[in-house]
Amino acid sequence: MSDRLKILIQHLLPKRHLTGLAGRVARAESALLTPRLIRWFARHYGVDMREAANSDLGSYKSFNDFFTRPLRDGVRPLAGVNFVCPVDGAISQFGAIDDGRIFQAKGHRFTATELVGGDATLAEPFLRGTFANLYLSPKDYHRLHMPCDGVLSRMIYVPGALYSVNPVTARGVPNLFARNERVVCVFDSPEHGRFVMILVGATIVGSMATVWHGVVNPKRTGQIVEWSYGPGDVALKQGEEMGRFLLGSTIVMLFEPGRIAFNPDWAPERPVRLGEAMGVVPA
């Protein structure tokens, strides 16, 4: 199937209805169907259960429990650097933000202001900063962790579409990551300034969740919803879990200018693992 046809199907699919159905299936606890679905998924996508805290596919009560499974202790050691990779996945794109515009794929860019839900004041410190866009495929570990220490100040739910976020769609759908439903998490760090982690939803991604809020799933009224946090409410250390996808998606990170020099081994489409070196403070 050509990429153009795949994109056309994306436009035509009843994405929200499919996502709702997928969410119900993923939450279901069926003694008959759930183990079969999990075994099929693990075989089809090549999920490595040797790294899971619980490797018994038949013991998970729901598909969501399986999909958000924790890892065994010690399988993702943290590199001794300022910024570690927060997920298992692959690099979609990363680099400099060009006067507020973020590179998506050849011929496609979106703005930092669009990405954070239209808040120009929030986006302003990042207009000449840096970004990293990491894609989590179905086989990956789907919990998200902190790249560095951070204190949460805001969380913003931004309504939107539910296109797939795979590489084909990223190449073919303009403004994809600023178009899809997303959760914007704003952190402050005494060492590294302000940074933002954006959890981007996608087709059949039933929900996104954070460790301080749980599932972020307000009624889909088309309105932006925001929560504010005090200085001592949510403080997370580097490597601590901050959230998870209930089915796979993408995380985009924004950093202020001069805060991070990315790992020179990084390149688009390169696989990455939680805890590996993402970057250091520039000299």
Side-chain angles (χ1 to χ4, degrees):
M1 186 185 297
S2 70
D3 286 358
R4 182 174 295 182
L5 180 55
K6 290 177 182 177
I7 297 302
L8 176 61
I9 291 171
Q10 281 284 310
H11 287 302
L12 296 177
L13 278 174
K15 294 177 282 295
R16 198 161 297 284
H17 292 298
L18 283 175
T19 300
L21 175 61
R24 290 192 293 274
V25 171
R27 292 190 298 270
E29 297 182 5
S30 168
L32 178 63
L33 297 179
T34 297
R36 292 182 179 180
L37 174 61
I38 290 172
R39 288 191 178 94
W40 173 86
F41 186 96
R43 183 174 60 254
H44 182 75
Y45 287 106
V47 177
D48 186 357
M49 293 302 292
R50 295 172 299 177
E51 298 183 325
N54 174 13
S55 61
D56 181 3
L57 289 172
S59 68
Y60 290 95
K61 290 184 177 180
S62 71
F63 185 83
N64 271 346
D65 287 346
F66 157 73
F67 199 79
T68 60
R69 63 196 175 276
L71 296 174
R72 288 190 291 108
D73 290 342
V75 298
R76 293 292 186 276
L78 301 183
V81 294
N82 303 112
F83 300 92
V84 297
C85 180
V87 297
D88 282 6
I91 300 167
S92 179
Q93 297 291 341
F94 73 104
I97 300 172
D98 181 13
D99 197 23
R101 301 190 67 78
I102 298 171
F103 184 76
Q104 175 178 306
K106 185 177 180 180
H108 297 306
R109 294 178 183 268
F110 57 92
T111 71
T113 301
E114 291 169 337
L115 182 64
V116 300
D119 187 333
T121 301
L122 173 58
E124 196 278 332
F126 307 102
L127 297 185
R128 296 190 180 277
T130 50
F131 78 99
N133 184 336
L134 307 179
Y135 168 65
L136 288 71
S137 73
K139 70 178 177 60
D140 289 320
Y141 168 66
H142 274 80
R143 298 191 182 199
L144 318 173
H145 295 252
M146 294 293 289
C148 60
D149 294 359
V151 178
L152 183 71
S153 61
R154 299 169 66 186
M155 181 173 74
I156 307 161
Y157 165 80
V158 183
L162 289 168
Y163 285 93
S164 170
V165 291
N166 63 36
V168 170
T169 315
R171 291 192 295 270
V173 177
N175 277 28
L176 175 64
F177 302 107
R179 192 171 184 169
N180 269 13
E181 183 175 272
R182 53 207 180 275
V183 176
V184 179
C185 303
V186 184
F187 291 94
D188 293 293
S189 165
E191 291 183 86
H192 307 304
R194 174 158 286 188
F195 63 97
V196 181
M197 301 177 73
I198 301 105
L199 287 60
V200 183
T203 310
I204 77 169
V205 176
S207 300
M208 294 164 280
T210 64
V211 297
W212 58 86
H213 183 92
V215 175
V216 185
N217 194 19
K219 291 182 179 180
R220 288 187 166 110
T221 62
Q223 301 297 312
I224 291 175
V225 182
E226 181 170 346
W227 296 262
S228 297
Y229 300 89
D233 291 344
V234 182
L236 298 173
K237 296 292 186 183
Q238 184 184 62
E240 280 193 79
E241 183 185 342
M242 62 79 64
R244 62 188 68 173
F245 288 116
L246 307 183
L247 294 179
S249 195
T250 284
I251 183 166
V252 183
M253 292 170 285
L254 306 180
F255 300 97
E256 295 173 327
R259 296 293 187 176
I260 182 172
F262 285 106
N263 184 341
D265 292 334
W266 272 32
E269 300 185 9
R270 176 187 181 273
V272 290
R273 300 187 91 186
L274 166 66
E276 73 170 61
M278 181 169 73
V280 297
V281 175

